[in-house]
């Protein structure tokens, strides 16, 4: 495949992809440099949009394909963090009413990992020359992976896994919720009983004095 590029306002080329990558390494082509190849039709694209160089690092992208590693992180890492946390809490037999502080910390970690991976994946899709799915799809990730699959032409496994994990998460929530409610109710009653007992002792003491 032959490539052309802008050099000080003039068209240069044709050159091979290997030559384009060499020019990037030599800093003669940066992420904003316009490049063209026959696959672009009549449109010239920035080197970053053509998938040649990363806008984040400025480094060469050895392949014009769109990577999915950040998409997998956005999909799997939050679920792994949540499930591991619940397993640890269950193992330590920590009462449900004591879960507040640990879960708040885990939620911050969950959101940090998720949104970082999501933003990096959208950037990878954009650098591959494809419009990324809307950021607001984070509210329903199977929708995000569906749009991503349609626009990039791959990612069926990601989409299927996003649905499977969502269903599994809902199932776990349905199973665990009665248990959590029962433990919270038990903890509340356990805290109220000493107060009631204390009130009875005080009444008995008053009766003895009379």
């Amino acid at each position: 495949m032959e490539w052309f590029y802008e050099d000080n306002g003039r068209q240069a080329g044709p050159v091979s992809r290997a030559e384009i990558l060499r020019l990037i390494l030599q800093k003669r082509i940066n992420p904003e440099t316009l490049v063209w190849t026959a696959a672009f039709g009549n449109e010239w694209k920035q080197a970053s949009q053509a998938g040649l160089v990363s806008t984040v690092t400025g480094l060469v992208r050895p392949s014009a394909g769109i990577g999915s590693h950040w998409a997998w992180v956005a999909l799997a890492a939050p679920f792994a963090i949540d499930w591991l946390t619940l397993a640890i809490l269950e193992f330590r037999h920590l009462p449900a009413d004591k879960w507040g502080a640990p879960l708040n910390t885990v939620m911050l970690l969950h959101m940090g990992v998720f949104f970082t991976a999501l933003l990096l994946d959208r950037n990878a899709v954009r650098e591959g020359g494809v419009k990324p799915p809307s950021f607001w799809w984070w509210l329903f990730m199977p929708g995000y992976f569906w749009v991503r699959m349609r626009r990039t032409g791959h990612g069926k496994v990601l989409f299927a896994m996003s649905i499977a994990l969502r269903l599994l998460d809902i199932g776990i929530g349905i199973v665990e919720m009665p248990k959590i409610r029962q433990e919270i109710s038990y903890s509340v009653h356990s805290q109220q009983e000493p107060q009631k007992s204390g009130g009875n002792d005080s009444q008995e003491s008053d009766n003895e004095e009379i």
Side-chain angles (χ1 to χ4, degrees):
M1 182 182 293
E2 294 183 333
W3 289 79
F4 295 83
Y5 63 97
E6 180 188 19
D7 185 16
N8 295 323
R10 297 175 299 178
Q11 177 180 310
V15 297
S16 66
R17 179 179 174 82
E19 178 65 13
I20 281 281
L21 298 182
R22 186 181 67 81
L23 293 171
I24 293 172
L25 290 174
Q26 293 176 350
K27 304 299 183 181
R28 292 176 59 187
I29 292 180
N30 58 49
E32 291 75 31
T33 301
L34 293 176
V35 298
W36 182 89
T37 189
F40 297 166
N42 296 325
E43 181 184 4
W44 284 66
K45 295 184 178 182
Q46 294 183 351
S48 59
Q49 296 175 329
L52 295 171
V53 57
S54 170
T55 56
V56 177
T57 63
L59 300 177
V60 170
R61 290 171 58 89
S63 171
I66 300 173
S68 299
H69 49 282
W70 287 118
W72 280 107
V73 173
L75 173 64
F79 285 98
I81 291 171
D82 293 347
W83 294 343
L84 180 61
T85 300
L86 288 175
I88 292 174
L89 292 174
E90 290 283 353
F91 178 77
R92 295 182 60 186
H93 302 292
L94 192 66
D97 61 321
K98 303 293 185 182
W99 287 15
L103 288 181
N104 287 337
T105 302
V106 170
M107 180 58 66
L108 291 175
L109 177 62
H110 171 125
M111 300 301 285
V113 171
F114 171 73
F115 282 114
T116 299
L118 180 64
L119 291 173
L120 289 172
D121 181 64
R122 294 183 75 247
N123 186 70
V125 173
R126 186 181 298 109
E127 290 182 348
V130 177
K131 182 181 179 181
S134 169
F135 174 79
W136 293 105
W137 275 116
W138 74 267
L139 294 168
F140 184 65
M141 287 305 289
Y144 175 88
F145 291 114
W146 168 256
V147 175
R148 188 184 191 280
M149 178 182 68
R150 294 294 298 272
R151 293 181 180 176
T152 62
H154 61 86
K156 292 181 180 179
V157 176
L158 268 170
F159 173 62
M161 285 297 297
S162 69
I163 294 177
L165 288 175
R166 174 55 63 92
L167 293 176
L168 181 60
D169 191 48
I170 293 174
I172 291 176
I174 292 174
V175 172
E176 291 292 330
M177 187 55 67
K179 181 178 179 181
I180 294 174
R181 288 178 177 174
Q182 183 179 4
E183 290 187 2
I184 292 176
S185 177
Y186 175 78
S187 299
V188 170
H189 287 309
S190 298
Q191 292 175 358
Q192 291 176 347
E193 286 179 358
Q195 297 176 358
K196 186 181 296 185
S197 176
N200 292 337
D201 292 344
S202 176
Q203 186 176 359
E204 291 177 0
S205 177
D206 293 341
N207 292 335
E208 290 179 357
E209 290 179 359
I210 294 174

